[in-house]
Amino acid sequence: MTDSIELGCPGDFHVHLRDGDMKNLVTPTIREGGVSVVYVMPNLVPPLIDPEVVLEYKKSLQKLSPKTTFLMSLYLSPKITPEVVEQAKKAGITGIKCYPAGVTTNSDHGVSSYEPFYPTFAAMEKHNMILNLHGECPSGHGIHVLNAEEKFLPTLKDLHQRFPKLRIILEHCTSEAAINAVLECGDNVAATITAHHLYLIVDNWGGNAHNFCKPVAKLPADRDALIKAATSGNPKFFFGSDSAPHPVKNKAKASGAAAGVFTQAYAIPYVAEVFEQVGKLDYLKGFVTDFGKKFYGISDDDLVDKSTVTLVKSTQVVETSLTSAALTDGDAVIPFRAGEKLKWSVTWS
Amino acid sequence: MTDSIELGCPGDFHVHLRDGDMKNLVTPTIREGGVSVVYVMPNLVPPLIDPEVVLEYKKSLQKLSPKTTFLMSLYLSPKITPEVVEQAKKAGITGIKCYPAGVTTNSDHGVSSYEPFYPTFAAMEKHNMILNLHGECPSGHGIHVLNAEEKFLPTLKDLHQRFPKLRIILEHCTSEAAINAVLECGDNVAATITAHHLYLIVDNWGGNAHNFCKPVAKLPADRDALIKAATSGNPKFFFGSDSAPHPVKNKAKASGAAAGVFTQAYAIPYVAEVFEQVGKLDYLKGFVTDFGKKFYGISDDDLVDKSTVTLVKSTQVVETSLTSAALTDGDAVIPFRAGEKLKWSVTWS
């Protein structure tokens, strides 16, 4: 029986670190969760559309977690012209995140139509910047939260066909249909899979706002397809937690509860447990360490700190809440599977 | 343009009136919602399995709303033998509600297998008592909240075939598949449809516990099938609100929020608005007044009060909360569509 696993320098290629008090609370948990390098989402309020502001934001994150490597992104908006793409590339920004308008937290400034952005996508292709897609169509006209991702897949395929050299990531994919679409595309299309979507189905978020996120967790067959893809050893699929902290007061609401599951502080242990359940621990390092860095073109030489993670078979209990003196109203963030036992723990060396 | 509709003495054939403080709060709202006769669910804590206790409960309800006609039910459990069925019939109890174990509020004492109850069903058939089915299979083994009702339909058809004279109601049906199954059965099988399922889809209950109920609201095509059935003039489909009050503290929770939508206080106006939207107000009286009473074998002569309802085109705003000095912790119940405008109001004469 395996009781320790060398993971090298793992990556989490989809994190929400927020701003202000919440940033202070969650940024240090990246390393607690066993992650060395993160790709940071730009959906702050206001969204990150200015490369200079992104660099300032990165500095503040680096201060909070000096050993973490932060890869940064811009928020796709009409302000992101081909000139801004070039400027962003020069500033060391890695990619651009595209939110359809209105589908998730702070997506009000998102995209309604993709065509106006073709020149931007062409510039990204030229400058080798990653396009991160939140792959959902807004609800209405027969589209609902359960088929919103599937309805987006023709757009994914269309963008891939128009910009075949553009590296595209379908973020936090949740459905069997999405897995199949990514498999059908060429090598420049990959997908991230979260920890929580390896656990959850539709039953788990009704009346349970802590498990409610966008895209929503779907049917058992979809979850099984995600587990199969994540543990397949196919480098098109790699880890992006979409860890999305919200204060309890925005979760414990009878209407309008915020969407997002907080997994940062236990990211790798959550994933390891699923890999172990299906007897695929051998493929864990590929999913959490190798494939994401390869797609992003990162080597360990690029990391600000080269400490490595060993996952050890040692039970830990998920905290029932993360608190911070800095969070207003004494509010807290409740992690995924709060209070439950995890079989694996993280050590750094 | 219609601006008033004579509805006679409407019925709501599926209500949860609870016990204690909550009973005191919600029972008087039956008439505010435009309802003269109700069929009362037995899922109290402990469940109503003793005819004597049911009669005591009925007395307490009658005291709270003297003009309402209360039709009473027992909770199907191993204690409900053929002898108890006969005793219940003599005591004036109308039917027996069958909850599959663990699917909804206070269903822990419910049924896991139907076969042990065949003698009870045979006695109900003989004594002309109604069988009310909560038509869901428990989740697991490929069953989830979205197909739990559809997976139950073979059981409905099987029971109908075994006991063809037993009058069966598939309660609060939520899916196109359920509508079709009820249509395929003979005249002794009917279905209730709630007000809120004429409005809601899966999108509406994610992060919105006030819209979360069991069975959950499903896809747009399902909601459309419910509207079509309710407004079709087919007497197999009639109104049962499944109004299910919970104190706000049990709704505004980040995990384990209670399932149930409270519609009692505005029951008929909610329904009328949907009928008007699809141009079927002519069929409203059939759905809310005639078909249910006919299936239950009730005439207006059986009612404790013969006042009638006129629905008038007069805007009212749904209260943002119902409070009662009697509810502990100053807690409240939030009605469906709280704070929104309704086009119709109830008057009694």
Side-chain angles (χ1 to χ4, degrees):
Chain A
M1 229 176 76
T2 316
D3 57 7
S4 82
I5 307 170
E6 299 298 335
L7 291 179
C9 302
D12 177 349
F13 291 91
H14 189 127
V15 303
H16 294 276
L17 300 177
R18 311 301 193 204
D19 214 340
D21 299 345
M22 188 61 90
K23 178 178 70 178
N24 299 337
L25 177 63
V26 302
T27 306
T29 70
I30 295 168
R31 285 182 71 85
E32 296 170 17
V35 166
S36 177
V37 50
V38 293
Y39 184 74
V40 182
M41 289 297 135
N43 60 332
L44 302 185
V45 182
L48 296 175
I49 55 173
D50 178 341
E52 293 301 319
V53 176
V54 173
L55 296 185
E56 285 301 310
Y57 180 49
K58 181 179 178 177
K59 261 188 215 163
S60 72
L61 297 172
Q62 199 72 67
K63 210 168 160 186
L64 287 165
S65 186
K67 293 184 173 179
T68 297
T69 300
F70 295 95
L71 307 177
M72 305 305 290
S73 65
L74 281 171
Y75 188 112
L76 186 64
S77 85
K79 296 261 172 71
I80 311 294
T81 59
E83 293 69 37
V84 174
V85 170
E86 190 175 355
Q87 181 197 349
K89 179 70 184 184
K90 281 182 182 157
I93 292 169
T94 304
I96 299 178
K97 175 75 183 286
C98 172
Y99 290 95
V103 298
T104 191
T105 306
N106 303 338
S107 64
D108 299 345
H109 298 268
V111 166
S112 301
S113 168
Y114 294 83
E115 203 167 337
F117 295 97
Y118 289 171
T120 300
F121 296 151
M124 292 174 68
E125 193 175 33
K126 179 179 164 193
H127 295 291
N128 195 23
M129 288 192 80
I130 302 260
L131 175 63
N132 308 92
L133 295 174
H134 180 119
E136 287 193 297
C137 293
S139 286
H141 307 288
I143 296 173
H144 46 79
V145 292
L146 291 166
N147 70 1
E149 184 175 87
E150 185 164 1
K151 295 286 187 185
F152 178 82
L153 299 173
T155 301
L156 168 69
K157 289 183 173 177
D158 180 66
L159 291 175
H160 176 47
Q161 200 165 31
R162 289 178 192 275
F163 306 99
K165 291 179 184 164
L166 178 60
R167 284 181 300 149
I168 300 175
I169 300 173
L170 182 66
E171 297 293 336
H172 45 53
C173 70
T174 61
S175 62
E176 188 173 12
I179 297 291
N180 291 336
V182 169
L183 287 170
E184 285 157 24
C185 291
D187 288 345
N188 284 330
V189 174
T192 52
I193 297 176
T194 74
H196 54 281
H197 286 113
L198 299 176
Y199 288 88
L200 300 174
I201 61 166
V202 58
D203 286 45
N204 303 119
W205 49 268
N208 286 297
H210 281 315
N211 292 334
F212 171 59
C213 58
K214 297 295 294 296
V216 298
K218 302 201 166 56
L219 305 189
D222 295 302
R223 181 190 51 190
D224 295 349
L226 296 177
I227 293 173
K228 192 177 164 195
T231 63
S232 68
N234 186 329
K236 274 176 165 290
F237 301 104
F238 52 83
F239 182 50
S241 70
D242 192 19
S243 177
H246 290 284
V248 173
K249 68 169 180 284
N250 291 345
K251 279 291 196 181
K253 291 170 74 172
S255 60
V261 177
F262 178 69
T263 51
Q264 203 72 66
Y266 304 88
I268 304 297
Y270 289 133
V271 174
E273 196 151 319
V274 175
F275 275 63
E276 186 179 27
Q277 271 165 14
V278 296
K280 294 286 181 73
L281 279 173
D282 288 351
Y283 290 96
L284 181 61
K285 182 164 178 285
F287 182 70
V288 300
T289 301
D290 302 332
F291 304 154
K293 284 189 288 193
K294 192 179 167 202
F295 194 85
Y296 273 89
I298 315 253
S299 81
D300 286 353
D301 293 338
D302 302 320
L303 303 180
V304 299
D305 179 89
K306 288 162 191 68
S307 310
T308 60
V309 166
T310 306
L311 205 59
V312 293
K313 194 85 180 248
S314 169
T315 298
Q316 61 174 326
V317 177
V318 178
E319 289 165 286
T320 52
S321 72
L322 277 75
T323 52
S324 161
L327 276 190
T328 48
D329 306 334
D331 216 328
V333 173
I334 310 290
F336 181 55
R337 297 185 60 195
E340 291 183 39
K341 278 185 188 166
L342 298 180
K343 292 179 183 160
W344 296 87
S345 297
V346 164
T347 60
W348 288 90
S349 53
Chain B
M1 229 177 79
T2 316
D3 57 7
S4 82
I5 306 170
E6 300 297 335
L7 291 178
C9 303
D12 176 349
F13 291 92
H14 189 125
V15 302
H16 294 276
L17 301 176
R18 310 303 192 202
D19 214 340
D21 298 346
M22 188 60 89
K23 177 178 71 177
N24 299 337
L25 176 64
V26 302
T27 306
T29 70
I30 296 167
R31 286 181 70 86
E32 295 170 18
V35 166
S36 178
V37 50
V38 293
Y39 184 73
V40 182
M41 290 296 137
N43 60 333
L44 302 185
V45 181
L48 297 176
I49 55 173
D50 178 341
E52 293 301 319
V53 176
V54 174
L55 295 185
E56 285 301 311
Y57 181 48
K58 181 178 178 178
K59 261 189 215 164
S60 73
L61 296 172
Q62 199 71 67
K63 210 166 158 185
L64 287 164
S65 187
K67 292 183 173 179
T68 297
T69 300
F70 295 95
L71 307 178
M72 306 304 291
S73 66
L74 281 170
Y75 188 112
L76 186 64
S77 87
K79 296 262 171 70
I80 311 294
T81 59
E83 293 69 36
V84 173
V85 171
E86 189 176 354
Q87 182 196 348
K89 179 69 182 184
K90 281 183 184 155
I93 292 168
T94 303
I96 299 178
K97 174 74 183 287
C98 172
Y99 290 96
V103 297
T104 191
T105 307
N106 304 338
S107 63
D108 298 346
H109 298 268
V111 167
S112 300
S113 167
Y114 294 83
E115 203 168 337
F117 295 97
Y118 288 172
T120 300
F121 296 152
M124 292 174 67
E125 193 175 34
K126 178 179 164 194
H127 295 292
N128 195 24
M129 287 192 80
I130 302 261
L131 175 63
N132 308 92
L133 296 174
H134 181 118
E136 287 193 298
C137 293
S139 284
H141 307 288
I143 296 173
H144 46 77
V145 293
L146 290 166
N147 70 2
E149 184 175 85
E150 185 165 359
K151 294 287 186 186
F152 178 82
L153 299 173
T155 301
L156 168 69
K157 289 184 173 177
D158 180 66
L159 291 175
H160 176 46
Q161 201 166 27
R162 288 178 192 276
F163 307 98
K165 289 180 184 163
L166 177 61
R167 284 181 300 148
I168 300 175
I169 300 173
L170 181 66
E171 297 293 337
H172 45 55
C173 70
T174 61
S175 62
E176 189 173 11
I179 297 291
N180 291 336
V182 169
L183 286 170
E184 284 158 25
C185 292
D187 288 345
N188 284 330
V189 174
T192 53
I193 297 175
T194 75
H196 54 281
H197 286 113
L198 299 176
Y199 288 87
L200 300 174
I201 63 166
V202 59
D203 287 43
N204 303 118
W205 50 266
N208 285 297
H210 280 316
N211 292 335
F212 171 58
C213 58
K214 297 296 293 295
V216 299
K218 302 198 166 57
L219 306 188
D222 294 302
R223 179 189 52 189
D224 295 349
L226 296 177
I227 293 173
K228 192 177 164 196
T231 63
S232 68
N234 185 330
K236 274 177 165 292
F237 302 103
F238 52 85
F239 181 49
S241 70
D242 192 17
S243 176
H246 290 284
V248 173
K249 68 169 179 282
N250 291 346
K251 279 292 198 181
K253 291 171 76 173
S255 60
V261 177
F262 179 69
T263 51
Q264 202 72 66
Y266 303 88
I268 304 297
Y270 289 132
V271 175
E273 196 151 317
V274 175
F275 275 63
E276 185 179 27
Q277 270 166 14
V278 297
K280 293 288 180 70
L281 279 173
D282 289 351
Y283 290 96
L284 181 62
K285 183 165 178 284
F287 182 70
V288 300
T289 302
D290 302 333
F291 304 154
K293 284 189 288 192
K294 192 179 165 201
F295 194 85
Y296 273 89
I298 314 258
S299 82
D300 286 353
D301 292 339
D302 302 321
L303 303 179
V304 299
D305 179 88
K306 290 162 190 68
S307 310
T308 60
V309 166
T310 306
L311 205 60
V312 292
K313 193 85 180 246
S314 169
T315 299
Q316 61 174 327
V317 176
V318 178
E319 290 164 287
T320 51
S321 71
L322 275 75
T323 52
S324 162
L327 276 189
T328 48
D329 306 333
D331 215 329
V333 173
I334 310 289
F336 181 56
R337 297 186 62 197
E340 291 183 39
K341 278 186 189 167
L342 298 180
K343 292 179 182 159
W344 296 85
S345 297
V346 164
T347 60
W348 288 91
S349 53

